[in-house]
Amino acid sequence: MALEVAFIGVSSAYPGDGEESTCFLVNGDILVDVGFNAGISVQALGVAPTDIDHIFITHCHHDHVIGLPGVLFLNSKRAAADREAGPLHLYGPQDLTPVTSAALAFLQADRYPQVVPEHEIHHVYPDESIEIGDLRVDVGRAFHPLDARSYRFTDTVTRGSVVITGDTAYHEGLAEFAKDCDVLIHEAAAPPTASGINQRYLHSRPQDAARVAQESSTSSLALVHYQTDQAAAMLSRAKEGFPNTRVARKGQRVKILGPGQAAWV
Ligand SMILES: [Zn+2]
Ligand SMILES: [Zn+2]
């Protein structure tokens, strides 16, 4: 099976009508970050919420975890949908523990344990790798105002790989982490007109994303975590530094059939 990433949402922290904050589905059962309405939005991709077996959280800013109660609620039917399903696995920085506890409290899990799936929390750290079937997930550093991760997904059979940066300002280690990947999915939340890195927010401009793409020799760059009205300006600015750039759209998918072979749908 080819490595596949579906773009559940691509928006910034305050999505508008019909939009979804930035989150992804890898190979149909791995959710990366949990946008506002992720439990509903995945269904537009033909995926049932009970199909989600793994959730990777890049960091615990609100727009990346806000849909967690809803996903847990909908995923609670996982054992009924598949008796062999096993627990839901959640991976992320240490902040994931209090955030999951808060989601459970919101769901009143003490009173209604049936509305929460059996689950396990795994704290993950840079330079660690996790094996999920034929997939290897490498954990990388992000440069953001709180503990944050980047993730690299590699199909160990086809060798195709995708990097999801999460929210991050430019840092030198990112290009090394993304070295020779097939698709670099990079945030571009800072406007192209910004004069440099805003030390308070620590986001990337499109030209910063292009720099990482160029330095890492990635095959292609996909920009996410943006405001719709910024898309055109963002794309032209990024293309100056890295021509094989696209602005990812909600509902798109990319299949990586092998090194250098990415098919967009
Ligand atoms: Zn953030
Ligand atoms: Zn964000």
Side-chain angles (χ1 to χ4, degrees):
M1 188 176 119
L3 175 60
E4 184 188 271
V5 180
F7 295 79
I8 303 169
V10 295
S11 298
S12 62
Y14 295 87
D17 184 27
E19 297 180 347
E20 174 62 280
S21 40
T22 295
C23 61
F24 313 91
L25 190 71
V26 178
N27 287 356
D29 64 351
I30 299 171
L31 183 62
V32 182
D33 286 342
V34 191
F36 274 75
N37 213 15
I40 304 300
S41 300
V42 290
Q43 297 178 53
L45 297 164
V47 172
T50 49
D51 291 343
I52 297 166
D53 292 328
H54 306 270
I55 301 178
F56 284 80
I57 299 293
T58 58
H59 66 296
C60 289
H61 270 153
H62 306 84
D63 49 320
H64 298 260
V65 294
I66 201 163
L68 188 57
V71 166
L72 291 173
F73 182 81
L74 293 169
N75 192 265
S76 66
K77 300 282 184 202
R78 60 186 290 103
D82 176 5
R83 278 171 194 276
E84 321 249 296
L88 171 70
H89 294 276
L90 299 119
Y91 311 82
Q94 283 177 304
D95 293 342
L96 181 56
T97 293
V99 163
T100 305
S101 298
L104 298 181
F106 180 79
L107 291 167
Q108 306 169 64
D110 285 350
R111 276 172 80 191
Y112 305 104
Q114 71 276 16
V115 306
V116 173
E118 189 189 340
H119 62 281
E120 292 177 8
I121 296 174
H122 310 269
H123 295 146
V124 293
Y125 299 94
D127 304 326
E128 199 175 311
S129 292
I130 298 131
E131 306 279 339
I132 301 173
D134 289 336
L135 196 68
R136 191 181 73 236
V137 188
D138 297 307
V139 183
R141 286 175 181 76
F143 184 32
H144 206 46
L146 75 178
D147 201 14
R149 308 283 180 263
S150 298
Y151 294 113
R152 180 171 183 142
F153 296 88
T154 303
D155 186 315
T156 57
V157 177
T158 66
R159 309 304 304 169
S161 66
V162 168
V163 168
I164 295 175
T165 64
D167 289 5
T168 185
Y170 175 84
H171 70 101
E172 285 180 356
L174 190 50
E176 196 180 318
F177 182 68
K179 190 77 191 150
D180 296 326
C181 72
D182 299 296
V183 181
L184 172 63
I185 300 172
H186 203 302
E187 72 116 307
T193 48
S195 57
I197 293 173
N198 182 317
Q199 293 297 330
R200 182 166 170 213
Y201 298 114
L202 293 176
H203 278 292
S204 294
R205 300 166 299 173
Q207 54 268 47
D208 300 318
R211 180 179 174 191
V212 174
Q214 198 265 328
E215 290 177 354
S216 63
S217 309
T218 181
S219 301
S220 61
L221 170 64
L223 301 175
V224 294
H225 205 301
Y226 59 87
Q227 286 176 271
T228 308
D229 61 0
Q230 293 283 317
M234 194 175 78
L235 183 61
S236 63
R237 189 70 180 86
K239 279 189 161 190
E240 288 172 21
F242 191 79
N244 194 13
T245 301
R246 70 173 60 224
V247 172
R249 306 284 178 189
K250 183 183 176 214
Q252 268 190 320
R253 296 167 194 263
V254 60
K255 257 187 194 170
I256 295 105
L257 306 164
Q261 301 173 60
W264 287 83
V265 194

